[in-house]
Amino acid sequence: MADITAGMVKELREKTGAGMMDCKSALNETQGDMEAAIDWLRTKGLAKAAKKSGRVAAEGLVGVVADGTRGALVEVNSETDFVARNENFQTMVTEIAKTALGVNGDTEKLLATAYPGSALSVKDYVTEQVGTIGENMSVRRAGSISVSDGIVAAYVHNQVVPGLGKIGVLVGVESTGDKAKLAELGKQIAMHIAATSPLATRREEVDPAVVERERNVLIAEAKESGRPDNIIEKMVEGRIRKFYEEVVLLSQAFVVNPDLTVEKAVKEAEAAAGAPINVVGFIRFQLGEGIEKVETDFAAEVAAAARG
């Protein structure tokens, strides 16, 4: 019998996504021949990950966990929304989110960390589940936020089960004030962020490249009016101020009370909390944002199949 090493088993798992014991059996059956082992797994219907890995995974769930002064988010993608309703998938995303909290939302560390109750890393556990569930899945990203004193508030939009949904938000509210009042304010701000998707907490935190791009567009638009350069300059500066009001969290009209900006709402909340309040930052994950989904023509696929 061929000497089957752990490295060979690992390599076969990475190529096929099949379970560890299945890979070991395949290598034993084929005397250690890697290509033959792949074929053996395919004939047994166990090499599912390899066949699925080319598909776009843009569905799935965002998992959110908050624990006092810290919180973490993860986005775990699948191919279809059907899998997102699978209880095993939901449990997996919840456990991955909890694990992310322990590594401060570092995606690379998260993938390398042991999945709870398993000898496998998070990355390898997800790969194994690809073969079990039958769809391509991946941990796309993770993030975390913390405060020295205060609370980290969480909000999940389109919640499927507690802590899991399509949009997840964490917001850090730093203060020595009443924690219940801070939690109430934090939840409202998190809901606001889910709805408005600001680019930054404060004006100075907006990416200068984004501002410059916006300014160039506004200049080009203003020049179409044929007005003098000095007038165009004033027009552009006014529109840039408006741009900041639209994309900066503290400058936005508060969805709970549009008569106030978020900054003014925070200031008013300080009286009830009994101490100054500082919104240190936020993280917002929306499922599938930035992923280019492949649109398929089902009728065309059927016709092509019929033509052989």
Side-chain angles (χ1 to χ4, degrees):
M1 180 177 289
D3 184 18
I4 308 302
T5 67
M8 293 168 67
V9 174
K10 182 175 183 293
E11 181 181 351
L12 185 58
R13 285 191 73 249
E14 290 175 347
K15 288 184 175 181
T16 65
M20 190 183 307
M21 296 309 296
D22 290 327
C23 288
K24 189 173 182 179
S25 297
L27 288 165
N28 281 326
E29 289 289 331
T30 59
Q31 303 301 308
D33 186 317
M34 190 64 65
E35 295 303 315
I38 292 173
D39 291 342
W40 188 90
L41 287 168
R42 291 183 64 190
T43 62
K44 301 293 183 182
L46 297 172
K48 296 179 181 179
K51 293 186 288 182
K52 301 290 183 179
S53 61
R55 298 187 182 177
V56 176
E59 297 294 339
L61 288 169
V62 172
V64 183
V65 58
D67 182 16
T69 59
R70 59 196 189 122
L73 301 92
V74 297
E75 179 182 354
V76 182
N77 296 129
S78 62
E79 291 178 41
T80 66
D81 185 57
F82 177 78
V83 168
R85 298 193 294 270
N86 180 292
E87 187 175 338
N88 291 335
F89 181 78
Q90 293 172 359
T91 298
M92 182 179 76
V93 178
T94 298
E95 292 300 324
I96 291 173
K98 292 177 181 177
T99 305
L101 191 62
V103 296
N104 298 319
D106 185 307
T107 305
E108 292 303 316
K109 287 183 179 178
L110 171 63
L111 293 172
T113 300
Y115 181 86
S118 171
L120 300 175
S121 67
V122 167
K123 180 180 180 180
D124 288 344
Y125 185 86
V126 172
T127 299
E128 185 174 78
Q129 293 305 300
V130 171
T132 301
I133 293 177
E135 280 197 10
N136 187 27
M137 297 181 292
S138 65
V139 179
R140 184 185 179 205
R141 54 181 172 165
S144 72
I145 194 167
S146 63
V147 296
S148 58
D149 192 6
I151 58 98
V152 170
Y155 173 69
V156 178
H157 189 62
N158 288 339
Q159 185 166 267
V160 179
V161 295
L164 302 176
K166 302 295 185 182
I167 298 176
V169 177
L170 290 173
V171 58
V173 181
E174 201 163 62
S175 176
T176 59
D178 184 285
K179 296 300 185 286
K181 295 297 183 182
L182 296 177
E184 181 181 347
L185 174 67
K187 178 68 174 293
Q188 290 178 339
I189 294 175
M191 293 174 69
H192 169 98
I193 292 167
T196 63
S197 189
L199 296 181
T201 306
R202 294 168 178 79
R203 176 171 174 155
E204 58 269 22
E205 295 170 4
V206 179
D207 185 345
V210 172
V211 178
E212 186 63 23
R213 186 163 60 247
E214 182 70 15
R215 186 184 299 276
N216 289 337
V217 170
L218 293 174
I219 290 172
E221 288 179 350
K223 284 183 175 180
E224 291 295 321
S225 68
R227 295 178 181 178
D229 288 347
N230 63 324
I231 300 298
I232 288 175
E233 184 178 345
K234 291 179 181 178
M235 289 172 59
V236 170
E237 288 309 310
R239 291 177 182 178
I240 284 293
R241 286 194 295 272
K242 181 66 175 176
F243 170 73
Y244 280 122
E245 290 172 5
E246 292 173 350
V247 304
V248 173
L249 171 62
L250 294 177
S251 300
Q252 290 178 327
F254 196 24
V255 293
V256 176
N257 181 359
D259 292 333
L260 299 175
T261 63
V262 174
E263 186 172 28
K264 288 182 178 178
V266 170
K267 196 68 180 174
E268 287 193 358
E270 291 179 347
I277 298 172
N278 178 33
V279 178
V280 299
F282 68 90
I283 304 175
R284 180 186 186 276
F285 282 1
Q286 181 167 344
L287 181 68
E289 61 187 346
I291 297 178
E292 185 176 346
K293 297 184 181 181
V294 179
E295 301 295 335
T296 59
D297 186 334
F298 182 67
E301 286 184 3
V302 173
R307 289 194 298 269

